[in-house]
Amino acid sequence: MKIIDGKAISMAIREEIAAEVAEMKEKPGLAVVIVGDDPASKVYVRNKHKACEDTGIYSEVHELPADTSQEKLLSLIDKLNADEKINGILVQLPLPKGLSEDEVIARIDPKKDVDAFSASNVGHIMLGDPVFLPCTPAGVMELLKRSGIEVKGKNCVVVGRSNIVGKPMAMLLLKADGTVTICHSKTRNLAEITAKADILVVAIGRAKFITADMVSEGAVVIDVGMNRDENNKLCGDVDFASVSEKASYITPVPGGVGPMTITMLLKNTITAFRLQRGELQ
Ligand code: GUN
């Protein structure tokens, strides 16, 4: 069994990104917007800002109080859409209750939508010709590629159907010629389906949900989960202790998919910069 070291792979890619940015006369810029004080979101936003600083990408963080009105948030998006220093805009989700995520996402200029959450960017992903790659799924694909794992013809099972991970993950695996099944909380005989996976990607947000009996010998297991276990320790959606005995490759939590998501965001910010300068079609 091999542990896929997402931290090391991500650092190697960040070095490539830093070298690319160092060559650029003007630097790409990212605006991150956080509303309220969800502790997990705050950590993610801090890590995104730090990753930008480390690679030479300009970044600004806009922290708004939890009681911010929809109008105020939308007017900040308008301002960032018009700001030439800013190539990418990311609004950290989830938003506090009472704010419409759909409306906020729809307001971001699709050319600055580095999360690839807007309808047009999701459409491009669905058509198999993405402008921006969805960050977490793209991070998973990069982990597979850099670990020498081929997707073509493999049985790929995605557990979870969120707009952020499950759905776009299925599209990227399909584009890579995988045979893709999407499972979710209403799936019958889930364990029978996951046990047929050559590549199993889990993003359901339930601590240690996937146990060894649900995984076939030699499977590649990618854990997108980020939960707290009974001892308040970070853990994934996969029971690492037992599943790692059967898997050929497995990602740990933390240090697996997480760092890759941010690395792919940096790549998208560079893509946004080039797109806005007419360097890409
Ligand atoms: N919340 C959890 N994951 C993400 C992500 O990839 N982007 C944003 N904007 N919010 C998130």
Side-chain angles (χ1 to χ4, degrees):
M1 183 269 307
K2 280 208 172 119
I3 294 178
I4 299 179
D5 186 345
K7 204 164 170 202
I9 294 175
S10 144
M11 288 309 148
I13 302 174
R14 285 187 204 184
E15 278 180 23
E16 296 165 15
I17 292 171
E20 185 178 351
V21 174
E23 295 283 306
M24 297 166 87
K25 237 199 282 160
E26 284 177 82
K27 306 303 177 193
L30 174 71
V32 179
V33 180
I34 176 168
V35 188
D37 40 28
D38 176 67
S41 290
K42 280 172 117 169
V43 173
Y44 297 144
V45 167
R46 199 180 322 125
N47 289 342
K48 286 169 186 175
H49 181 61
K50 172 140 197 318
C52 286
E53 286 196 326
D54 291 349
T55 48
I57 293 175
Y58 169 74
S59 131
E60 54 188 44
V61 178
H62 296 260
E63 291 178 309
L64 304 178
D67 63 358
T68 300
S69 68
Q70 184 78 9
E71 292 67 38
K72 195 143 185 214
L73 181 53
L74 292 177
S75 80
L76 172 60
I77 305 288
D78 290 342
K79 206 174 106 223
L80 296 171
N81 278 337
D83 187 338
E84 291 199 354
K85 293 194 302 302
I86 297 303
N87 306 108
I89 302 170
L90 178 146
V91 179
Q92 187 66 29
L93 302 180
L95 290 173
K97 270 203 197 70
L99 294 174
S100 162
E101 292 182 355
D102 291 349
E103 206 182 14
V104 169
I105 289 167
R107 193 75 155 229
I108 298 171
D109 181 342
K111 287 200 188 69
K112 295 192 175 186
D113 171 33
V114 285
D115 263 324
F117 287 169
S118 72
S120 69
N121 282 316
V122 172
H124 289 298
I125 294 164
M126 186 83 187
L127 290 168
D129 190 17
V131 177
F132 295 112
L133 290 169
C135 298
T136 300
V140 171
M141 297 307 289
E142 200 66 33
L143 286 179
L144 295 173
K145 189 168 139 200
R146 295 197 184 221
S147 305
I149 298 160
E150 201 181 23
V151 174
K152 190 174 174 179
K154 298 270 178 69
N155 275 335
C156 304
V157 176
V158 179
V159 186
R161 56 172 158 176
S162 71
N163 290 333
I164 297 187
V165 185
K167 282 190 224 170
M169 186 73 247
M171 286 305 126
L172 297 194
L173 290 165
L174 195 57
K175 186 174 162 66
D177 297 326
T179 302
V180 183
T181 305
I182 306 177
C183 301
H184 49 80
S185 57
K186 308 290 189 299
T187 297
R188 279 189 230 151
N189 308 323
L190 179 71
E192 267 174 43
I193 301 170
T194 56
K196 291 206 173 76
D198 301 309
I199 299 174
L200 179 63
V201 182
V202 192
I204 38 165
R206 289 169 68 173
K208 302 182 188 180
F209 179 79
I210 299 289
T211 45
D213 55 302
M214 301 168 80
V215 176
S216 75
E217 198 71 47
V220 174
V221 181
I222 307 290
D223 190 349
V224 184
M226 181 63 86
N227 316 289
R228 297 265 168 193
D229 70 6
E230 57 285 359
N231 303 315
N232 206 35
K233 223 178 120 214
L234 279 180
C235 73
D237 292 347
V238 175
D239 179 33
F240 187 88
S242 67
V243 173
S244 59
E245 306 255 315
K246 279 177 110 176
S248 58
Y249 288 85
I250 188 165
T251 61
V253 177
V257 175
M260 292 299 288
T261 296
I262 298 182
T263 300
M264 296 299 119
L265 171 69
L266 303 174
K267 281 200 163 222
N268 279 348
T269 305
I270 296 174
T271 301
F273 177 95
R274 298 203 189 285
L275 192 68
Q276 286 152 41
R277 270 167 183 63
E279 293 172 23
L280 308 168
Q281 14 80 325

